[in-house]
Amino acid sequence: MLKYRQIYYVVTLLLVFGLFSSGVFAQNYQVKLMGLPKGFHAHDAKIDSATLILFANKQISQLRKSGYWLASLDSSVFYADTVRLYFFAGRQFDEINLSVYLNPTEEAYVSERRPSIREENISAVNKRMDEVVKYYENNGYPFASIQIDSSRVVGEKINLYLSVDPGMLIKFDTLAVSPEGLLKDKFVARYLGLNYGKYYSQIRVDDIANKLENIPAVSLVHASNSFRLHQSKISLELKPEKVNYFDGILGFIPSAENSKKLEFTGELNLSLKNLFQSAKQFEFHWEKYTRNSQSLNTHYIHPVFLGMPLDLFLGYDQLKQDTLFSNRTLKLAFDYYPSGRTKLRTSYENLLGNELNDGSGQSGNFRIDYYGLGLEFWRLDNRQNPKQGLAFQLDTKVGFKEIEQDTTAQMDVSQYQFSTRIQYYQKVKSRSVIYLAGSAGWMQSDQLYLNDLYRLGGLRSIRGFNENEFFASQYAYSNLEWRFYLEDNSYLVAFVDQAILTYDIVTGDLYDNPSGIGVGMQFKAAGGNFLMLYGLGRRKSQAFSFDSSKIHFGYSALF
């Protein structure tokens, strides 16, 4: 029966289209919908005659998605300024046997040409139809469509036979990037997965803006997509961003051992975000934060390493803590982005810990090989300067540790790490933003030393204290800020930090619950950003006091 109704429907619409093309009814009509089932939400409309066929098709599609799989257009009656569309809805079926007949194509669904039949409910049928179309759209056929070929009623069930029309096969043409000299066209095409000659993928096209957010050196102004001669031509207009920076503080302080001598101290930071016009990144951070303590952190990021959808991460860290210990860490990681706002990481770290002149036995001589997995995702309005949204990070590591107890003895143990961080930004008014963050970490081993532990305190964790003042094998802390924006990158801030820290190492344990409060400001200066925070800290052995207050500040010269 459905086939006959479809034939009548097509003939009727062709006649109507013929009249429209001759100009007889080139006007607006008030459309009245007749024969629709009770409870079906559809409204009369006033539309142009040229869109009448599309309007009728939309109503039939909505009926079928609601379970009226036999729906069709019976007839149409025209008056002076009104047209009545009479629909046949038929019965509503909740149980469906679905068969999808897939037309042979060059690439899509090669392994699924045999019909797949199973019982479904209405929502599952609609989901299945969407999945089939999306598969074609992401495998070279952006104009694919699926429709009911025929149907058969068996008792209280209906057998639906669907057919797929893949449409034209489309491949990506050469990607165009402007302005020239900012990013290489070939690199951007590989980074976005839009290589020349590759089969068209709608999901990759939709993800362009999200993936470009992960390249700090540029921002997307406009993206266009046009189809011609079986090819998709994508053009991107980018804007350069000032994200490279160099800053530092160098100075001399009197020596604690000899007041006539001076000691060198300070901090240097260098960040390059777009080496060789291919978004390669290099970071260098050095700091001497006490007389005998200093740290060095460097890393290099190579996107789409060897043409693969992986980013290579190489890192080198060195930490010397007074006369207690010295740690050296080598890092190797591969980052994979399943989407523009999700990152997966697999990593390897080699940590070499050396005891210096620590007679207490708190520090140890050991070597650890860590193997890790990480997850990161974000839903932010602007990743570089967020004011609304959520970000989450999770890291897990399993380590195999070799401990040198003396010149002849050695102990092998396992070591585990787990850390997580969540950040939330919420606009409360046009200029006010609430920032809330929570972080936690856990480390477990049969033999833990002081130079195994997490380091906390300072500008990036618990403010109101010196950098890396705290040691912890387990920690949890929160950061709460209220920011009042004067300009896009300039704001006043008030903050409260609260933490719980503990460790249990070979020589003893510790518990503390430090707090930090303070105010500050960040403002955009000529050529860079200046940040200054004034904080007070409290811990078990220290109450809030202006005598122990800390000033955290820094200037980043952007270029």
Side-chain angles (χ1 to χ4, degrees), residues 272-324:
L272 302 175
K273 302 290 190 182
N274 189 24
L275 296 172
F276 314 116
Q277 300 176 18
S278 55
K280 296 178 178 68
Q281 301 179 37
F282 175 75
E283 302 272 349
F284 176 91
H285 304 284
W286 172 83
E287 181 180 7
K288 187 174 183 181
Y289 49 90
T290 64
R291 184 168 64 93
N292 293 315
S293 300
Q294 56 183 313
S295 65
L296 172 66
N297 306 101
T298 64
H299 71 252
Y300 169 76
I301 298 176
H302 189 118
V304 287
F305 181 62
L306 297 179
M308 299 181 294
L310 298 173
D311 291 1
L312 171 67
F313 176 95
L314 297 173
Y316 175 86
D317 298 341
Q318 185 79 42
L319 172 65
K320 182 179 181 292
Q321 182 65 37
D322 202 43
T323 59
L324 299 177

